[in-house]
Amino acid sequence: MAPGVISRRHHRIALVAVFVLALAAGFVLAVVGLPQRIADVAASETDTGETARLSVERDTLAAQLHASDEFAGRVGPDLVRGKLTGVPVTVVALGADPADTRAVAELVVAAGGSVAGEVVLTPAVTDPARADQLRDLSARLLPSGAQLPTATDAGALAGGLLGSALLAPPDGPAPAPDGAGAVLAGLAGGGFAEAPQGGPAAGRVAVVVTGAAYSGVDAGASASTAAALAAELDRRGAGAVLAGRDAADGSAVAAARSSGAGPVGRLATVDGVGTGAGRVATVLALAERQAGGTGRYGSGAGTVGPVPAAP
């Protein structure tokens, strides 16, 4: 009887949380569109208090979003509990807000998983001007016996290097810890990663946490590099999730989705990782991915829902 009670309790939690996460996604979309509406009204010559009304609407929606996000953060550990039991996760930060990376790592632990290693990559990884150097370094640092992908994309090559050093293949032995340390130290020496803190263990799945959309003339190329890196990590272990702050043009998430790396491929994507809702979605997507599923989650274009369906 007790197991059934626990199951029903978690099912109720899942239903409530999914509802709240869906509301959060709706609030985000509403808040995003308000600034332009306010600007349009303010620029017109027939403003009869509409600007003030829209400003109140904006503040109300922002407060609702804050409350919804806070609730998602509180129920998150309950919702993900047991979803990653015994699963070692490699966490890769690529232009991410440290708070986002830290929150995702904490939820991985709350889900019963472990953080096998944390890798912080620098902006040099996605800088087209450093692409040749990254390609060369990826070939030179490759552990003995490992292979890089045949692609020439710097992101794919870097992902192949990291995957061969940090992820255990589903049907093969885990990489040697000393090899992983040498790879990370080499990337740090080249300016492509921060100096590693301790020796990483092998992960089974990986989560790549990114920030907002890239800007400037190289935005598209930088986003594609980040997406290619995550997609190659997905191919090396039991799966990967690419999580970003949004899915706007120029973001890694948008690049991955437009390249077909989502449900029609393998790489799972989540937008909104800067919110409690997005972080919960990221960990649930990790659990789904390591079980063989995949999807696109969040509030951006092309998503199938705010979070994976509750089991």
Side-chain angles (χ1 to χ4, degrees):
M1 184 70 180
V5 172
I6 294 174
S7 177
R8 288 196 295 273
R9 174 177 177 272
H10 280 277
H11 183 64
R12 287 196 298 271
I13 291 173
L15 290 177
V16 171
V18 168
F19 174 71
V20 171
L21 298 184
L23 284 178
F27 289 147
V28 169
L29 292 176
V31 172
V32 166
L34 271 174
Q36 186 57 51
R37 289 166 58 194
I38 293 174
D40 291 343
V41 172
S44 71
E45 298 180 357
T46 58
D47 181 9
T48 57
E50 185 70 2
T51 300
R53 188 189 69 77
L54 288 173
S55 295
V56 171
E57 182 182 346
R58 175 202 61 200
D59 294 342
T60 300
L61 285 170
Q64 291 174 327
L65 175 60
H66 177 75
S68 176
D69 189 52
E70 184 174 334
F71 181 79
R74 291 185 180 184
V75 303
D78 275 333
L79 181 58
V80 303
R81 184 163 289 119
K83 302 298 185 185
L84 289 172
T85 300
V87 178
V89 180
T90 297
V91 180
V92 179
L94 180 54
D97 186 311
D100 295 345
T101 307
R102 182 169 59 253
V104 168
E106 289 172 353
L107 274 181
V108 164
V109 175
S114 62
V115 177
E118 292 189 56
V119 180
V120 180
L121 300 177
T122 70
V125 170
T126 55
D127 182 357
R130 302 285 303 277
D132 286 341
Q133 184 182 354
L134 182 57
R135 292 187 188 96
D136 177 68
L137 196 59
S138 296
R140 288 195 288 112
L141 293 176
L142 188 68
S144 177
Q147 290 185 329
L148 290 175
T150 56
T152 59
D153 181 277
L157 294 174
L161 172 66
L162 289 170
S164 66
L166 299 172
L167 295 176
D171 55 354
D178 55 346
V183 165
L184 294 181
L187 288 173
F192 293 101
E194 293 186 5
Q197 302 295 317
R204 187 184 306 170
V205 292
V207 56
V208 180
V209 186
T210 63
Y214 293 95
S215 60
V217 296
D218 294 323
S222 295
S224 295
T225 297
L229 184 149
E232 189 58 36
L233 285 175
D234 182 85
R235 285 187 280 270
R236 296 284 169 156
V241 174
L242 173 62
R245 286 218 151 197
D246 56 49
D249 289 343
S251 68
V253 170
R257 290 174 179 173
S258 65
S259 70
V264 298
R266 294 180 61 196
L267 179 66
T269 57
V270 177
D271 60 74
V273 75
T275 67
R279 292 161 183 168
V280 169
T282 298
V283 173
L284 291 178
L286 269 174
E288 180 185 57
R289 188 71 198 92
Q290 73 93 27
T294 190
R296 303 174 177 182
Y297 305 105
S299 59
T303 56
V304 297
V307 294

